[in-house]
Amino acid sequence: MRILIAEDDQVLADGLLRSLRTSGAVVDHVANGAEADTALVTHNHFDLLILDLGLPRIHGLEVLRRLRSRGDSLPVLILTARSSWHEKVTGMDAGADDYLAKPFHMEELLARLRALLERGRTFNSAGDKASARTLF
Ligand code: CA
C-alpha cells in the first residue's frame, strides 16, 4: 500500500506520516502542488492520494484536475479548511472521491481511507485483497 500526501502544513503532515506508517502503509510526502503533480506524473504506483487544496505553487484543485485529465482514477481524499465549504463542492466536482475538513480526528481520516480502499477493491482483481485487508 503506497500513499502520497500533498500537504504544506508540516505539523499536520508529520502526524499523517506517523499514523499511516504505523498502520503499515508506505507513505510519500510532498509539500507543494508542483511536486505533487510531478510525483503523480512520474510514479503511477500510488494506491491513494491525500490532497490538501491550499497548496503553494499549484493549487490542489489544479493538481486534481490534471490527474483526472490524464484518465487516472487514483482514489483521492481532499483536505479543506473548515470554512471553505465551496472548496468541497468544487473538489468533488473536480473528481475527488471524498473530503475531510480541518481540523479532523486521525481516526476519522483512517476510517475514510479504509472506505476508499474498500470501494476501489470492488473494481480490482481479488489479488491484493489480503494485503489491503491488513491495512489500518
Ligand atoms: Ca495548506
Side-chain angles (χ1 to χ4, degrees):
M1 188 58 52
R2 194 171 191 113
I3 299 174
L4 178 64
I5 298 173
E7 170 58 73
D8 61 319
D9 180 332
Q10 191 62 47
V11 175
L12 178 54
D14 284 344
L16 287 170
L17 284 164
R18 217 172 14 250
S19 294
L20 292 170
R21 283 176 178 155
T22 301
S23 304
V26 176
V27 192
D28 290 357
H29 171 232
V30 291
N32 67 67
E35 283 179 22
D37 193 49
T38 301
L40 291 165
V41 168
T42 313
H43 310 290
N44 55 5
H45 53 249
F46 295 112
D47 300 293
L48 270 175
L49 168 63
I50 299 172
L51 179 66
D52 177 35
L53 290 186
L55 286 175
R57 295 183 63 187
I58 299 177
H59 193 270
L61 271 179
E62 179 59 21
V63 173
L64 179 59
R65 287 197 185 102
R66 291 185 190 185
L67 178 78
R68 293 303 186 228
S69 74
R70 291 191 295 271
D72 197 324
S73 60
L74 177 70
V76 178
L77 182 142
I78 54 175
L79 301 177
T80 67
R82 176 75 64 187
S83 55
S84 307
W85 64 268
H86 55 282
E87 280 198 344
K88 298 171 198 165
V89 177
T90 315
M92 298 305 274
D93 282 346
D97 298 280
D98 201 359
Y99 70 86
L100 204 50
K102 300 179 192 178
F104 53 83
H105 290 283
M106 200 58 73
E107 290 76 12
E108 183 179 2
L109 176 82
L110 294 177
R112 286 175 180 275
L113 294 183
R114 276 196 299 270
L116 276 181
L117 290 170
E118 282 290 329
R119 248 178 278 161
R121 260 174 28 211
T122 309
F123 304 101
N124 292 336
S125 67
D128 41 86
K129 270 193 177 171
S131 61
R133 193 164 33 227
T134 57
L135 182 71
F136 312 137

